[in-house]
Amino acid sequence: MAALEYTSLIGKARILHRWFPEEIPALLETMDGMLTAIQQEVPQRLKGWEFTIRNDALQEALLKEAQQVIREHGAAMYRNDKLFAEQLFTGLKRVYTGYCLITYAPTRKLHNRKFALAVELLFGI
């Protein structure tokens, strides 16, 4: 096994999945719920702006891609660490996945403190 600092993001995601497979369903459900909330919030946030230079199309495409992956492969990702890591920790989806881990892990401190510590250890969050 390579030293942690030389382990790829995909490798770290696979480790997290192997250590805490029981956390994956709740994490994916949370990610899907956060996607829905973000998608509903964006139009409200942009309503009052007079001048907007943002890459909303890129953000929307990223969110749709992440949502499609979660909905299409969600149940399979519960059991398959490779699928979980390769689908959510590659390309731009890894930005959204990282955001979700940052948000989700602290909520697990009381229920499963070791999961929160593992996220912090593996991803430096």
Side-chain angles (χ1 to χ4, degrees), residues 13-61:
R14 290 185 77 182
I15 290 169
L16 184 69
H17 189 290
R18 287 183 202 141
W19 285 354
F20 301 96
E22 72 283 355
E23 289 287 342
I24 302 307
L27 172 62
L28 293 175
E29 285 177 26
T30 300
M31 289 177 69
D32 191 41
M34 290 171 67
L35 278 163
T36 302
I38 290 169
Q39 288 169 334
Q40 291 171 353
E41 177 186 299
V42 169
Q44 291 289 30
R45 214 176 33 193
L46 298 177
K47 216 179 237 184
W49 292 12
E50 291 178 28
F51 183 70
T52 304
I53 298 179
R54 293 183 28 165
N55 200 339
D56 291 325
L58 178 61
Q59 179 184 6
E60 187 175 333

Short mmCIF file of all heavy atoms in Angstrom, two decimals, residues 13-61:
data_model
loop_
_atom_site.label_atom_id
_atom_site.label_comp_id
_atom_site.label_asym_id
_atom_site.label_seq_id
_atom_site.Cartn_x
_atom_site.Cartn_y
_atom_site.Cartn_z
N ALA A 13 -10.90 7.40 -1.98
CA ALA A 13 -12.34 7.15 -1.97
C ALA A 13 -12.63 5.67 -1.80
O ALA A 13 -13.56 5.29 -1.07
CB ALA A 13 -12.96 7.67 -3.27
N ARG A 14 -11.83 4.82 -2.44
CA ARG A 14 -12.03 3.38 -2.30
C ARG A 14 -11.76 2.94 -0.86
O ARG A 14 -12.47 2.09 -0.32
CB ARG A 14 -11.14 2.62 -3.27
CG ARG A 14 -11.59 2.81 -4.72
CD ARG A 14 -10.80 1.98 -5.67
NE ARG A 14 -11.29 0.60 -5.57
CZ ARG A 14 -10.77 -0.40 -6.26
NH1 ARG A 14 -9.76 -0.20 -7.08
NH2 ARG A 14 -11.26 -1.61 -6.13
N ILE A 15 -10.74 3.51 -0.24
CA ILE A 15 -10.43 3.19 1.16
C ILE A 15 -11.61 3.59 2.05
O ILE A 15 -12.04 2.82 2.90
CB ILE A 15 -9.13 3.89 1.60
CG1 ILE A 15 -7.93 3.26 0.91
CG2 ILE A 15 -8.98 3.83 3.13
CD1 ILE A 15 -6.63 4.06 1.07
N LEU A 16 -12.11 4.80 1.85
CA LEU A 16 -13.24 5.27 2.66
C LEU A 16 -14.43 4.32 2.51
O LEU A 16 -15.07 3.95 3.50
CB LEU A 16 -13.64 6.69 2.24
CG LEU A 16 -14.75 7.33 3.06
CD1 LEU A 16 -14.27 7.64 4.47
CD2 LEU A 16 -15.25 8.61 2.39
N HIS A 17 -14.72 3.92 1.29
CA HIS A 17 -15.83 3.00 1.03
C HIS A 17 -15.60 1.66 1.72
O HIS A 17 -16.52 1.09 2.33
CB HIS A 17 -15.99 2.81 -0.48
CG HIS A 17 -17.22 2.08 -0.88
ND1 HIS A 17 -17.42 0.73 -0.64
CD2 HIS A 17 -18.34 2.51 -1.51
CE1 HIS A 17 -18.58 0.36 -1.12
NE2 HIS A 17 -19.18 1.42 -1.65
N ARG A 18 -14.39 1.13 1.64
CA ARG A 18 -14.08 -0.17 2.26
C ARG A 18 -14.18 -0.10 3.78
O ARG A 18 -14.62 -1.05 4.42
CB ARG A 18 -12.69 -0.63 1.87
CG ARG A 18 -12.60 -1.10 0.44
CD ARG A 18 -11.20 -1.61 0.14
NE ARG A 18 -10.98 -1.56 -1.29
CZ ARG A 18 -9.83 -1.20 -1.86
NH1 ARG A 18 -8.80 -0.87 -1.11
NH2 ARG A 18 -9.72 -1.19 -3.16
N TRP A 19 -13.74 1.01 4.35
CA TRP A 19 -13.77 1.15 5.81
C TRP A 19 -15.19 1.38 6.33
O TRP A 19 -15.52 0.95 7.43
CB TRP A 19 -12.90 2.32 6.25
CG TRP A 19 -11.42 2.07 6.20
CD1 TRP A 19 -10.77 0.90 5.92
CD2 TRP A 19 -10.40 3.05 6.41
NE1 TRP A 19 -9.42 1.10 5.95
CE2 TRP A 19 -9.16 2.41 6.26
CE3 TRP A 19 -10.42 4.41 6.72
CZ2 TRP A 19 -7.94 3.07 6.41
CZ3 TRP A 19 -9.21 5.06 6.87
CH2 TRP A 19 -7.99 4.40 6.72
N PHE A 20 -16.01 2.09 5.56
CA PHE A 20 -17.34 2.49 6.04
C PHE A 20 -18.43 2.23 4.98
O PHE A 20 -19.14 3.15 4.60
CB PHE A 20 -17.35 3.97 6.43
CG PHE A 20 -16.36 4.30 7.50
CD1 PHE A 20 -15.12 4.81 7.18
CD2 PHE A 20 -16.66 4.07 8.84
CE1 PHE A 20 -14.19 5.12 8.17
CE2 PHE A 20 -15.75 4.36 9.82
CZ PHE A 20 -14.50 4.88 9.50
N PRO A 21 -18.61 1.00 4.56
CA PRO A 21 -19.64 0.74 3.54
C PRO A 21 -21.05 1.08 4.02
O PRO A 21 -21.91 1.43 3.21
CB PRO A 21 -19.49 -0.76 3.26
CG PRO A 21 -18.83 -1.32 4.48
CD PRO A 21 -17.95 -0.22 5.01
N GLU A 22 -21.27 1.02 5.32
CA GLU A 22 -22.60 1.34 5.85
C GLU A 22 -22.94 2.82 5.75
O GLU A 22 -24.11 3.20 5.84
CB GLU A 22 -22.71 0.87 7.31
CG GLU A 22 -21.93 1.68 8.32
CD GLU A 22 -20.41 1.42 8.36
OE1 GLU A 22 -19.92 0.52 7.66
OE2 GLU A 22 -19.72 2.13 9.12
N GLU A 23 -21.94 3.67 5.55
CA GLU A 23 -22.16 5.12 5.43
C GLU A 23 -22.50 5.54 4.00
O GLU A 23 -23.04 6.63 3.78
CB GLU A 23 -20.92 5.89 5.88
CG GLU A 23 -20.67 5.86 7.37
CD GLU A 23 -21.65 6.71 8.16
OE1 GLU A 23 -22.33 7.59 7.57
OE2 GLU A 23 -21.75 6.49 9.38
N ILE A 24 -22.18 4.72 3.03
CA ILE A 24 -22.31 5.11 1.63
C ILE A 24 -23.76 5.39 1.23
O ILE A 24 -24.03 6.41 0.58
CB ILE A 24 -21.64 4.07 0.70
CG1 ILE A 24 -20.16 3.90 1.06
CG2 ILE A 24 -21.81 4.45 -0.76
CD1 ILE A 24 -19.34 5.19 1.11
N PRO A 25 -24.73 4.55 1.58
CA PRO A 25 -26.11 4.87 1.19
C PRO A 25 -26.58 6.23 1.71
O PRO A 25 -27.18 7.02 0.96
CB PRO A 25 -26.94 3.73 1.80
CG PRO A 25 -25.98 2.59 1.88
CD PRO A 25 -24.65 3.22 2.21
N ALA A 26 -26.30 6.54 2.97
CA ALA A 26 -26.72 7.83 3.53
C ALA A 26 -25.97 8.99 2.87
O ALA A 26 -26.56 10.05 2.63
CB ALA A 26 -26.50 7.83 5.04
N LEU A 27 -24.70 8.79 2.58
CA LEU A 27 -23.92 9.83 1.89
C LEU A 27 -24.52 10.12 0.52
O LEU A 27 -24.72 11.27 0.15
CB LEU A 27 -22.45 9.41 1.76
CG LEU A 27 -21.58 10.32 0.89
CD1 LEU A 27 -21.49 11.73 1.48
CD2 LEU A 27 -20.19 9.72 0.73
N LEU A 28 -24.83 9.07 -0.24
CA LEU A 28 -25.39 9.27 -1.58
C LEU A 28 -26.78 9.90 -1.53
O LEU A 28 -27.11 10.75 -2.36
CB LEU A 28 -25.43 7.94 -2.33
CG LEU A 28 -24.06 7.35 -2.70
CD1 LEU A 28 -24.22 5.98 -3.32
CD2 LEU A 28 -23.28 8.28 -3.60
N GLU A 29 -27.58 9.52 -0.55
CA GLU A 29 -28.90 10.14 -0.39
C GLU A 29 -28.75 11.64 -0.07
O GLU A 29 -29.49 12.47 -0.59
CB GLU A 29 -29.68 9.46 0.72
CG GLU A 29 -30.24 8.12 0.33
CD GLU A 29 -30.96 7.44 1.50
OE1 GLU A 29 -31.45 8.16 2.40
OE2 GLU A 29 -31.03 6.21 1.49
N THR A 30 -27.79 11.95 0.79
CA THR A 30 -27.53 13.34 1.14
C THR A 30 -27.06 14.13 -0.08
O THR A 30 -27.51 15.25 -0.32
CB THR A 30 -26.49 13.43 2.26
OG1 THR A 30 -27.00 12.74 3.40
CG2 THR A 30 -26.16 14.86 2.63
N MET A 31 -26.15 13.53 -0.86
CA MET A 31 -25.67 14.20 -2.06
C MET A 31 -26.80 14.48 -3.04
O MET A 31 -26.87 15.57 -3.62
CB MET A 31 -24.59 13.34 -2.74
CG MET A 31 -23.28 13.28 -1.97
SD MET A 31 -22.07 12.19 -2.75
CE MET A 31 -21.67 13.11 -4.23
N ASP A 32 -27.68 13.53 -3.22
CA ASP A 32 -28.82 13.71 -4.13
C ASP A 32 -29.75 14.81 -3.60
O ASP A 32 -30.21 15.67 -4.36
CB ASP A 32 -29.57 12.40 -4.30
CG ASP A 32 -30.58 12.46 -5.42
OD1 ASP A 32 -30.28 13.05 -6.48
OD2 ASP A 32 -31.69 11.92 -5.25
N GLY A 33 -30.00 14.82 -2.31
CA GLY A 33 -30.84 15.86 -1.71
C GLY A 33 -30.22 17.23 -1.82
O GLY A 33 -30.92 18.23 -2.10
N MET A 34 -28.90 17.31 -1.64
CA MET A 34 -28.21 18.59 -1.77
C MET A 34 -28.27 19.09 -3.21
O MET A 34 -28.42 20.29 -3.45
CB MET A 34 -26.76 18.45 -1.30
CG MET A 34 -26.64 18.27 0.21
SD MET A 34 -24.96 17.86 0.76
CE MET A 34 -24.09 19.38 0.38
N LEU A 35 -28.18 18.18 -4.17
CA LEU A 35 -28.29 18.56 -5.58
C LEU A 35 -29.63 19.21 -5.86
O LEU A 35 -29.70 20.26 -6.50
CB LEU A 35 -28.14 17.32 -6.47
CG LEU A 35 -26.73 16.87 -6.78
CD1 LEU A 35 -26.73 15.45 -7.30
CD2 LEU A 35 -26.07 17.80 -7.76
N THR A 36 -30.67 18.59 -5.37
CA THR A 36 -32.02 19.13 -5.58
C THR A 36 -32.14 20.51 -4.95
O THR A 36 -32.67 21.44 -5.57
CB THR A 36 -33.07 18.17 -5.00
OG1 THR A 36 -32.91 16.89 -5.63
CG2 THR A 36 -34.47 18.67 -5.22
N ALA A 37 -31.65 20.66 -3.74
CA ALA A 37 -31.72 21.96 -3.05
C ALA A 37 -30.93 23.03 -3.80
O ALA A 37 -31.41 24.17 -3.95
CB ALA A 37 -31.20 21.81 -1.63
N ILE A 38 -29.74 22.69 -4.27
CA ILE A 38 -28.92 23.66 -5.00
C ILE A 38 -29.62 24.07 -6.29
O ILE A 38 -29.66 25.24 -6.64
CB ILE A 38 -27.52 23.08 -5.30
CG1 ILE A 38 -26.72 22.96 -3.99
CG2 ILE A 38 -26.77 23.94 -6.30
CD1 ILE A 38 -25.44 22.15 -4.12
N GLN A 39 -30.16 23.09 -7.01
CA GLN A 39 -30.83 23.39 -8.28
C GLN A 39 -32.05 24.28 -8.08
O GLN A 39 -32.36 25.11 -8.92
CB GLN A 39 -31.22 22.10 -8.99
CG GLN A 39 -30.02 21.36 -9.55
CD GLN A 39 -30.36 19.96 -10.03
OE1 GLN A 39 -31.30 19.34 -9.56
NE2 GLN A 39 -29.57 19.46 -10.95
N GLN A 40 -32.74 24.15 -6.97
CA GLN A 40 -33.90 24.99 -6.69
C GLN A 40 -33.49 26.38 -6.23
O GLN A 40 -34.20 27.34 -6.44
CB GLN A 40 -34.78 24.33 -5.64
CG GLN A 40 -35.47 23.09 -6.15
CD GLN A 40 -36.18 22.32 -5.05
OE1 GLN A 40 -36.07 22.63 -3.87
NE2 GLN A 40 -36.91 21.29 -5.44
N GLU A 41 -32.32 26.49 -5.62
CA GLU A 41 -31.87 27.76 -5.06
C GLU A 41 -31.28 28.70 -6.12
O GLU A 41 -31.42 29.91 -6.03
CB GLU A 41 -30.81 27.48 -3.99
CG GLU A 41 -30.20 28.71 -3.38
CD GLU A 41 -29.08 28.34 -2.44
OE1 GLU A 41 -29.32 27.65 -1.45
OE2 GLU A 41 -27.95 28.76 -2.72
N VAL A 42 -30.61 28.16 -7.12
CA VAL A 42 -29.89 28.99 -8.09
C VAL A 42 -30.78 30.03 -8.77
O VAL A 42 -30.42 31.21 -8.81
CB VAL A 42 -29.16 28.10 -9.14
CG1 VAL A 42 -28.63 28.92 -10.29
CG2 VAL A 42 -28.02 27.36 -8.46
N PRO A 43 -31.94 29.69 -9.31
CA PRO A 43 -32.76 30.73 -9.95
C PRO A 43 -33.14 31.86 -9.00
O PRO A 43 -33.15 33.03 -9.39
CB PRO A 43 -34.01 29.97 -10.41
CG PRO A 43 -33.59 28.55 -10.51
CD PRO A 43 -32.54 28.37 -9.45
N GLN A 44 -33.41 31.54 -7.74
CA GLN A 44 -33.76 32.57 -6.75
C GLN A 44 -32.57 33.49 -6.49
O GLN A 44 -32.73 34.69 -6.36
CB GLN A 44 -34.20 31.93 -5.43
CG GLN A 44 -35.51 31.21 -5.52
CD GLN A 44 -36.67 32.19 -5.67
OE1 GLN A 44 -36.54 33.26 -6.22
NE2 GLN A 44 -37.82 31.80 -5.17
N ARG A 45 -31.40 32.90 -6.41
CA ARG A 45 -30.20 33.67 -6.13
C ARG A 45 -29.88 34.65 -7.26
O ARG A 45 -29.39 35.75 -7.02
CB ARG A 45 -29.03 32.70 -5.93
CG ARG A 45 -28.03 33.15 -4.94
CD ARG A 45 -26.96 32.13 -4.71
NE ARG A 45 -26.67 31.38 -5.91
CZ ARG A 45 -25.96 30.27 -5.93
NH1 ARG A 45 -25.50 29.77 -4.84
NH2 ARG A 45 -25.72 29.63 -7.06
N LEU A 46 -30.16 34.25 -8.49
CA LEU A 46 -29.81 35.09 -9.64
C LEU A 46 -30.88 36.11 -10.00
O LEU A 46 -30.63 37.01 -10.79
CB LEU A 46 -29.55 34.19 -10.86
CG LEU A 46 -28.40 33.21 -10.74
CD1 LEU A 46 -28.31 32.35 -11.99
CD2 LEU A 46 -27.09 33.92 -10.50
N LYS A 47 -32.05 36.01 -9.42
CA LYS A 47 -33.20 36.85 -9.80
C LYS A 47 -32.92 38.34 -9.72
O LYS A 47 -33.24 39.09 -10.63
CB LYS A 47 -34.38 36.51 -8.90
CG LYS A 47 -35.70 36.57 -9.60
CD LYS A 47 -36.81 36.21 -8.65
CE LYS A 47 -37.59 35.06 -9.21
NZ LYS A 47 -38.73 34.71 -8.40
N GLY A 48 -32.32 38.82 -8.64
CA GLY A 48 -32.13 40.25 -8.44
C GLY A 48 -30.87 40.82 -9.04
O GLY A 48 -30.61 42.02 -8.91
N TRP A 49 -30.06 40.05 -9.70
CA TRP A 49 -28.80 40.54 -10.24
C TRP A 49 -29.02 41.28 -11.55
O TRP A 49 -29.71 40.80 -12.44
CB TRP A 49 -27.83 39.39 -10.47
CG TRP A 49 -27.36 38.74 -9.21
CD1 TRP A 49 -27.86 38.90 -7.96
CD2 TRP A 49 -26.32 37.80 -9.09
NE1 TRP A 49 -27.19 38.12 -7.07
CE2 TRP A 49 -26.24 37.43 -7.74
CE3 TRP A 49 -25.44 37.21 -9.98
CZ2 TRP A 49 -25.30 36.52 -7.28
CZ3 TRP A 49 -24.51 36.31 -9.52
CH2 TRP A 49 -24.44 35.98 -8.17
N GLU A 50 -28.41 42.47 -11.68
CA GLU A 50 -28.53 43.23 -12.91
C GLU A 50 -27.57 42.71 -13.98
O GLU A 50 -27.88 42.69 -15.15
CB GLU A 50 -28.23 44.70 -12.65
CG GLU A 50 -29.29 45.39 -11.82
CD GLU A 50 -28.93 46.82 -11.55
OE1 GLU A 50 -28.22 47.43 -12.36
OE2 GLU A 50 -29.36 47.33 -10.51
N PHE A 51 -26.39 42.35 -13.56
CA PHE A 51 -25.35 41.96 -14.50
C PHE A 51 -24.69 40.69 -13.98
O PHE A 51 -24.24 40.65 -12.85
CB PHE A 51 -24.32 43.08 -14.62
CG PHE A 51 -23.24 42.80 -15.61
CD1 PHE A 51 -23.53 42.79 -16.96
CD2 PHE A 51 -21.95 42.56 -15.20
CE1 PHE A 51 -22.54 42.55 -17.90
CE2 PHE A 51 -20.96 42.32 -16.14
CZ PHE A 51 -21.25 42.31 -17.48
N THR A 52 -24.68 39.66 -14.79
CA THR A 52 -24.15 38.38 -14.34
C THR A 52 -23.15 37.84 -15.34
O THR A 52 -23.47 37.68 -16.51
CB THR A 52 -25.29 37.35 -14.19
OG1 THR A 52 -26.25 37.88 -13.32
CG2 THR A 52 -24.77 36.05 -13.63
N ILE A 53 -21.93 37.64 -14.87
CA ILE A 53 -20.96 36.89 -15.66
C ILE A 53 -20.58 35.70 -14.81
O ILE A 53 -19.81 35.82 -13.86
CB ILE A 53 -19.71 37.72 -16.00
CG1 ILE A 53 -20.10 38.92 -16.83
CG2 ILE A 53 -18.69 36.85 -16.72
CD1 ILE A 53 -18.93 39.81 -17.21
N ARG A 54 -21.21 34.60 -15.11
CA ARG A 54 -20.94 33.36 -14.39
C ARG A 54 -21.07 32.23 -15.37
O ARG A 54 -21.74 32.36 -16.38
CB ARG A 54 -21.96 33.16 -13.26
CG ARG A 54 -21.82 34.17 -12.16
CD ARG A 54 -22.76 33.90 -11.05
NE ARG A 54 -23.09 32.49 -10.96
CZ ARG A 54 -23.66 31.92 -9.93
NH1 ARG A 54 -23.97 32.63 -8.91
NH2 ARG A 54 -23.94 30.65 -9.91
N ASN A 55 -20.48 31.16 -15.03
CA ASN A 55 -20.60 30.01 -15.90
C ASN A 55 -21.69 29.10 -15.36
O ASN A 55 -21.43 28.00 -14.90
CB ASN A 55 -19.26 29.29 -16.03
CG ASN A 55 -19.22 28.42 -17.25
OD1 ASN A 55 -20.26 28.05 -17.79
ND2 ASN A 55 -18.03 28.09 -17.70
N ASP A 56 -22.93 29.58 -15.41
CA ASP A 56 -24.06 28.81 -14.90
C ASP A 56 -24.29 27.54 -15.70
O ASP A 56 -24.73 26.53 -15.16
CB ASP A 56 -25.33 29.66 -14.93
CG ASP A 56 -25.26 30.79 -13.90
OD1 ASP A 56 -24.68 30.57 -12.83
OD2 ASP A 56 -25.78 31.87 -14.19
N ALA A 57 -23.98 27.58 -16.99
CA ALA A 57 -24.17 26.39 -17.82
C ALA A 57 -23.24 25.28 -17.35
O ALA A 57 -23.64 24.12 -17.27
CB ALA A 57 -23.91 26.72 -19.28
N LEU A 58 -22.00 25.63 -17.02
CA LEU A 58 -21.05 24.64 -16.52
C LEU A 58 -21.51 24.08 -15.18
O LEU A 58 -21.48 22.87 -14.95
CB LEU A 58 -19.65 25.24 -16.39
CG LEU A 58 -18.57 24.33 -15.84
CD1 LEU A 58 -18.38 23.11 -16.73
CD2 LEU A 58 -17.26 25.09 -15.69
N GLN A 59 -21.94 24.97 -14.29
CA GLN A 59 -22.42 24.53 -12.98
C GLN A 59 -23.63 23.61 -13.13
O GLN A 59 -23.69 22.56 -12.50
CB GLN A 59 -22.79 25.73 -12.11
CG GLN A 59 -23.31 25.34 -10.74
CD GLN A 59 -23.77 26.54 -9.92
OE1 GLN A 59 -23.80 27.66 -10.42
NE2 GLN A 59 -24.12 26.30 -8.70
N GLU A 60 -24.55 23.98 -13.99
CA GLU A 60 -25.74 23.17 -14.19
C GLU A 60 -25.39 21.81 -14.79
O GLU A 60 -25.92 20.78 -14.37
CB GLU A 60 -26.73 23.90 -15.10
CG GLU A 60 -28.05 23.20 -15.21
CD GLU A 60 -29.06 24.00 -16.02
OE1 GLU A 60 -28.95 25.24 -16.07
OE2 GLU A 60 -29.95 23.36 -16.59
N ALA A 61 -24.46 21.79 -15.74
CA ALA A 61 -24.04 20.53 -16.35
C ALA A 61 -23.36 19.63 -15.31
O ALA A 61 -23.61 18.41 -15.28
CB ALA A 61 -23.10 20.80 -17.51
#
